[in-house]
Amino acid sequence: MRANRRTDTKPELALRHALHRLGYRYRKDYRLDLDGGRRVRPDIAFTARKVAVFVDGCFWHACPEHGSKPRANEWYWGPKLVRNVERDRINDAALILAGWTVVRLWEHVPLDEAVSTVTAALVVGAAANPANPANPANPADPANPADPADSGDPPEPIPPAADDSLG
């Protein structure tokens, strides 16, 4: 199982590149230490908006449409896949309890649909947490740190230079 990637899967990379192209900034594979000692690593985390995005593989997270049940070593794989799904639900509950919005996407979801789902969650996250996006954080207030790297707001486009030649 050494060849199975934990991060940077093709669907995750496609989603991250699309979000980045739209101007969104985020943390990838960012460890969140939640209350109660629970650690969660979303694939994409918008920490200022408190939105955690997971791109779940159909096999590893037992997709009802495309997930397959292995016939070889079923004694091992059956319980393992069930534990993966249970862990996902526990992590979702812990994140929601900590005030995060959780977005779970299957790897087979079309890219445009995935991007619109994430951007909709970011808008909801901004409305639920108005202190971060609308009001810049006070640097003197340690309870409200500013993190411009993942503000969630797309930046203003930069106008092209007068001379667009590359040479």
Side-chain angles (χ1 to χ4, degrees):
M1 290 198 299
R2 191 178 309 171
N4 296 326
R5 294 180 162 272
R6 186 172 68 90
T7 69
D8 297 337
T9 61
K10 286 182 184 179
E12 180 187 336
L13 283 173
L15 178 61
R16 287 198 339 237
H17 290 169
L19 291 170
H20 195 272
R21 239 178 284 125
L22 290 175
Y24 290 102
R25 299 301 179 257
Y26 47 81
R27 304 277 184 221
K28 75 176 200 91
D29 195 39
Y30 185 70
R31 187 176 91 184
L32 301 172
D33 296 323
L34 304 176
D35 293 338
R38 186 132 199 97
R39 292 180 178 163
V40 180
R41 280 189 177 271
D43 297 323
I44 303 169
F46 296 90
T47 55
R49 302 275 181 108
K50 289 190 134 184
V51 175
V53 180
F54 297 89
V55 182
D56 293 339
C58 289
F59 174 76
W60 296 107
H61 299 271
C63 172
E65 287 182 48
H66 300 102
S68 61
K69 295 191 184 267
R71 287 183 289 242
N73 298 325
E74 189 175 336
W75 57 269
Y76 171 78
W77 288 108
K80 176 170 181 44
L81 297 178
V82 169
R83 282 193 313 268
N84 286 352
V85 173
E86 289 172 355
R87 185 191 61 233
D88 290 345
R89 299 302 157 249
I90 291 169
N91 287 343
D92 290 353
L95 282 166
I96 291 168
L97 208 60
W100 285 74
T101 302
V102 179
V103 177
R104 285 209 174 261
L105 301 166
W106 291 110
E107 68 180 351
H108 64 264
V109 172
L111 183 59
D112 56 342
E113 185 179 325
V115 169
S116 64
T117 302
V118 172
T119 55
L122 289 170
V123 170
V124 171
N129 196 0
N132 283 338
N135 304 325
N138 179 2
D141 184 9
N144 191 12
D147 193 357
D150 64 353
S151 66
D153 291 328
E156 293 296 321
I158 300 171
D163 180 22
D164 284 338
S165 63
L166 297 175

